[in-house]
Structures are given as structure tokens and as C-alpha cells.
Amino acid sequence: MKFLRKIIALVIGVAFVAAVVISVGLIFAVKNINVTVLSYSEDYSENYTDAKKTLSSIKGESILFVDASNINKAISGCNYSLVSYEKVYPCTVNITVKERLETFAVSVGGQYSFYDADGVYLRKDVENVNIFDGSPNVEVTGVAIEEMDEIAKIAAMFKDKFKALRSLVKSIDLDCNPQIADYTEKLFFNFKCGIVIEFDNFTELTEEKIEAAYGQFSKLSDRQKLGGVLRSYQVEDGSVKAVYFNR
């Protein structure tokens, strides 16, 4: 009899725990997904619908375990990247995504590989033509695929200071030689108007060098901007200097 009562108590206990787990799962299951889309396209409604549909795969998952990796997995392969997310208990997730902006082109084997503003691969084509506006993307040369995100970060700093990238810059060239000790790595921004901005040892004091380059660029005449080189570099005392000279 005591043995039977123990079995009954165990069954009741297991049932109670199962009921609690199921109840908690139902309470904290994601039911509402509020999506904000930062879009570059004119048809915002289409982008919103597309993003909402893509992120609907998160519905039903426990909000306790929803994080950036879940959301990035849901939007992988889509034309969106995660900006931020917020969990509102018990069952709502607010998500902000941005449309991936096609920005860079890398020539590979007779084709162009295109990357977004964050240096993430998008697509391939035989011509360097932006899918949104039909203008050329910024062509990047001398850069390994795994370095594209780093170049994209520098380009973003450049765009923030110069207030433009694709409309100003035709191409970005990397000059490096790891086989030579103390080789001065250079990053060149080749402007459509003709001038070239050169950043020496561009991974060091990057923002300061861009700031100095912009300050000097702003002082140039329209004629000077048609050619020549504006070099931004660090001098011996540790400060950064930008100098313009004709080739």
C-alpha cells in the first residue's frame, strides 16, 4: 500500500512539473513580433511585409532563449541585417532591421562580387552596376575577402566625415606587402573627380587620419581636386598630418 501511494505521488509530481513547464512555455512563447525596417527603397510597405514574414519563424519560440543569434539566423540569406532587438515580457519582441545597402564591388574571375555597407557578401554579376540605382559600386582591389568587413568599417568612417562615399569615390585600393618588415601599408581612396587620398598605416589612428584628410580636402580649390594626392599620415611626434601635392 505504501509502495502504491509512492507511485501515485510520483505520478502526480511528474504531472505537476509537466503542467508547470507547459504553462511556462505557453506564457513565454513569442506571440507578437513588432518590426521596424530602415529602408533605402521607396516602397517601404513591401520591405516591411517581407521582413515581417521572414521574422515570423521566431513565433512560438521561448522568449527566454531569443537572442541576436536566433534573429540573425531567421534573416540570413535575406536583404536585411539586425540593428537592435528588445524583449518585452511575457511574449513580445521588438526588432529593428535595416536593408542591406549594396556598396562595394570586387572583381573575381571575370565577375563582380558585391558587398553591402558592412562588408557582407550579397550577390554576383558580370557588370559593376548597383541593383538599386544602376550606378557603379565602389570597386575594391588588393583586399582579401576576409578583410572586406574591416575595409567597410573604414569606409563608413570616411562616409561619416565626407558625407558621401559612392557619389565621391570610384575605387579603394589596398597596398600591402606582409613579406617586407615595417612595410608602410597604404589605403587609397580614388575620387571620381581625380584626386587620390592616401592613408598610410591606415589601421592606426584611422579616425584621426580621416579627420585630417577631410580638413585638408576642404581647403583645396576645385582645380586641385581634379588631380594630385592628399596624403594623411602620422609624424614622429605622434600627431597626424595631411599634405596635398601634385604628382
Side-chain angles (χ1 to χ4, degrees):
M1 209 53 192
K2 289 181 179 180
F3 180 71
L4 182 59
R5 282 198 294 268
K6 288 181 179 181
I7 292 177
I8 294 173
L10 178 62
V11 170
I12 293 173
V14 170
F16 176 76
V17 171
V20 170
V21 170
I22 292 171
S23 298
V24 170
L26 291 173
I27 292 172
F28 290 101
V30 176
K31 298 182 179 67
N32 307 307
I33 301 176
N34 300 321
V35 181
T36 300
V37 179
L38 307 179
S39 176
Y40 304 98
S41 304
E42 294 181 2
D43 192 352
Y44 175 84
S45 60
E46 182 178 346
N47 287 329
Y48 174 80
T49 302
D50 188 21
K52 187 86 172 179
K53 181 179 179 181
T54 299
L55 290 164
S56 64
S57 61
I58 298 173
K59 280 190 174 181
E61 294 188 17
S62 173
I63 195 172
L64 301 172
F65 302 110
V66 171
D67 57 18
S69 62
N70 301 107
I71 299 171
N72 281 321
K73 183 178 180 180
I75 61 177
S76 64
C78 299
N79 198 33
Y80 307 101
S81 60
L82 176 64
V83 176
S84 63
Y85 72 96
E86 176 190 17
K87 296 192 283 189
V88 182
Y89 290 93
C91 59
T92 299
V93 181
N94 299 324
I95 300 173
T96 299
V97 297
K98 67 177 179 180
E99 190 174 16
R100 293 170 63 185
L101 181 61
E102 187 173 295
T103 304
F104 305 105
V106 178
S107 180
V108 181
Q111 283 190 319
Y112 288 99
S113 294
F114 299 107
Y115 295 81
D116 70 8
D118 296 319
V120 178
Y121 173 78
L122 287 173
R123 65 185 183 93
K124 286 185 179 180
D125 204 340
V126 293
E127 292 185 275
N128 179 14
V129 177
N130 187 280
I131 197 170
F132 289 110
D133 57 28
S135 298
N137 293 300
V138 178
E139 186 169 356
V140 180
T141 63
V143 177
I145 300 304
E146 57 271 17
E147 297 175 322
M148 277 302 302
D149 58 340
E150 188 62 33
I151 298 301
K153 289 177 184 176
I154 296 172
M157 295 181 203
F158 180 95
K159 182 179 180 180
D160 184 61
K161 178 53 62 177
F162 281 77
K163 307 305 179 187
L165 181 65
R166 286 184 57 228
S167 61
L168 286 178
V169 179
K170 177 176 65 175
S171 62
I172 298 174
D173 303 329
L174 172 63
D175 175 20
C176 67
N177 192 336
Q179 305 302 322
I180 301 177
D182 299 324
Y183 188 83
T184 301
E185 294 187 335
K186 303 179 183 68
L187 193 64
F188 299 94
F189 281 67
N190 305 298
F191 277 52
K192 293 179 179 180
C193 61
I195 192 172
V196 176
I197 296 185
E198 171 189 331
F199 297 101
D200 291 1
N201 291 325
F202 61 92
T203 58
E204 302 172 5
L205 299 174
T206 306
E207 290 190 49
E208 290 83 351
K209 288 173 182 175
I210 292 174
E211 177 78 34
Y214 177 75
Q216 185 63 34
F217 179 81
S218 301
K219 299 175 184 177
L220 299 180
S221 66
D222 290 341
R223 177 182 290 275
Q224 288 175 313
K225 292 176 182 177
L226 295 176
V229 176
L230 197 166
R231 179 184 172 219
S232 187
Y233 59 101
Q234 184 179 10
V235 295
E236 292 183 359
D237 64 3
S239 62
V240 172
K241 186 177 182 180
V243 177
Y244 171 82
F245 55 91
N246 288 314
R247 296 196 192 206

